[in-house]
Amino acid sequence: MAQPVTRGGVPIGYRRDDAEVDPPYLHPNYVATRTRAPKRPLVPLRHTLSEITGPVYGHEDVGELDHDLTRQHEGEPLGERIILHGRVLDGDQRPVRNTLIELWQANAAGRYRHEVDTHPAPLDPNFSGAGRCITDDEGRYRFITIKPGAYPWRNHPNAWRAAHIHLSLFGTAFATRLVTQMYFPGDPLFFQDPIFLAVRDERDRRRLISEFDLGSTVPEWALAYRFDIVLRGREATPVED
Ligand SMILES: [Fe+2]
């Protein structure tokens, strides 16, 4: 049953970012934030009805192979095939159903299919590096892809990004939109990656690292990683009635 969006005529907003957990807008070691970060304190506004009710994306636009980045071209991409799966929950532990997840990543050699990527590593004609899927009734999602390579990014001398996959989730409303990055366990580059280190608490950083999931591997075919994602809960816990 649909959850109420107002109480006493006032929209029930979503919880605000946790300033202790989320990375600060200005993290000087991540050089781009020096010019990108707001210079003045933010002014929180009450969520409006349009932010808490839209947009809603349906199944229609997602193709059958959009979740499988290894089957979008004539041949298979080079690299280590992996399964990436998990659940999307909200801050009240409810599954976020029927929500769009988009993913983008470098290929196995650490190169994006993008015109501004000049890393001298090969492009793979069989890998675009973008996929999407919709969560099921339990909030589950599953992608098949290849493990991305590390890449250099000139943030500081000899700077390399830890291998990562970018994720975008729409959730149930604009106010729950989340864009994040997922990492792989045991990466040797964590210690010098200012984007990863912008999340200040070690326990919070660990939540950005997927878990190797032997139980979900497919024998003789692909290893699996699990990454659960929590979107904002409502300011007032909604009651289904
Ligand atoms: Fe990236």
Side-chain angles (χ1 to χ4, degrees):
M1 191 171 289
Q3 294 173 358
V5 295
T6 60
R7 182 166 293 165
V10 177
I12 304 172
Y14 285 85
R15 291 184 199 122
R16 304 302 167 140
D17 290 340
D18 186 333
E20 300 291 313
V21 173
D22 290 302
Y25 289 107
L26 176 62
H27 183 70
N29 289 344
Y30 176 7
V31 173
T33 68
R34 296 178 194 170
T35 48
R36 189 187 292 163
K39 297 263 188 297
R40 297 181 188 183
L42 302 186
V43 179
L45 300 176
R46 189 186 286 277
H47 286 143
T48 61
L49 201 56
S50 60
E51 284 176 295
I52 63 172
T53 56
V56 176
Y57 294 89
H59 284 103
E60 308 79 62
D61 298 323
V62 176
E64 209 175 305
L65 289 179
D66 284 3
H67 74 289
D68 187 344
L69 285 76
T70 69
R71 289 197 292 159
Q72 295 174 349
H73 296 274
E74 216 160 278
E76 282 205 83
L78 294 173
E80 183 185 339
R81 188 190 296 118
I82 59 170
I83 296 158
L84 170 61
H85 75 112
R87 285 184 83 198
V88 183
L89 303 170
D90 71 15
D92 303 310
Q93 299 295 309
R94 297 163 189 255
V96 182
R97 308 179 170 107
N98 197 34
T99 195
L100 181 70
I101 305 187
E102 297 170 294
L103 159 166
W104 62 101
Q105 62 168 98
N107 69 21
R111 176 90 185 262
Y112 284 99
R113 182 177 291 280
H114 192 283
E115 58 188 18
V116 304
D117 189 343
T118 55
H119 177 33
L123 284 170
D124 185 337
N126 290 314
F127 192 69
S128 302
R132 55 191 188 155
C133 72
I134 299 275
T135 56
D136 71 8
D137 281 350
E138 301 297 319
R140 286 184 300 239
Y141 72 92
R142 186 172 188 267
F143 288 103
I144 299 164
T145 184
I146 52 104
K147 200 169 176 181
Y151 60 80
W153 66 306
R154 299 192 183 123
N155 180 77
H156 55 275
N158 199 17
W160 294 76
R161 293 294 328 276
H164 59 276
I165 290 180
H166 296 263
L167 295 161
S168 158
L169 291 95
F170 278 89
T172 51
F174 267 130
T176 63
R177 176 96 196 271
L178 174 71
V179 178
T180 190
Q181 300 184 24
M182 182 219 91
Y183 299 86
F184 293 89
D187 196 304
L189 292 165
F190 287 143
F191 80 98
Q192 61 97 68
D193 186 330
I195 294 184
F196 178 72
L197 296 174
V199 176
R200 290 151 291 183
D201 188 280
E202 198 202 332
R203 277 166 308 179
D204 295 329
R205 287 200 294 269
R206 254 185 258 144
R207 290 156 57 192
L208 299 173
I209 304 172
S210 57
E211 179 189 347
F212 174 62
D213 181 3
L214 185 67
S216 298
T217 63
V218 177
E220 292 167 52
W221 192 73
L223 297 181
Y225 292 86
R226 183 183 173 111
F227 188 62
D228 292 337
I229 300 162
V230 180
L231 302 182
R232 287 173 178 171
R234 302 288 283 274
E235 281 170 349
T237 302
V239 181
E240 292 187 27
D241 52 14

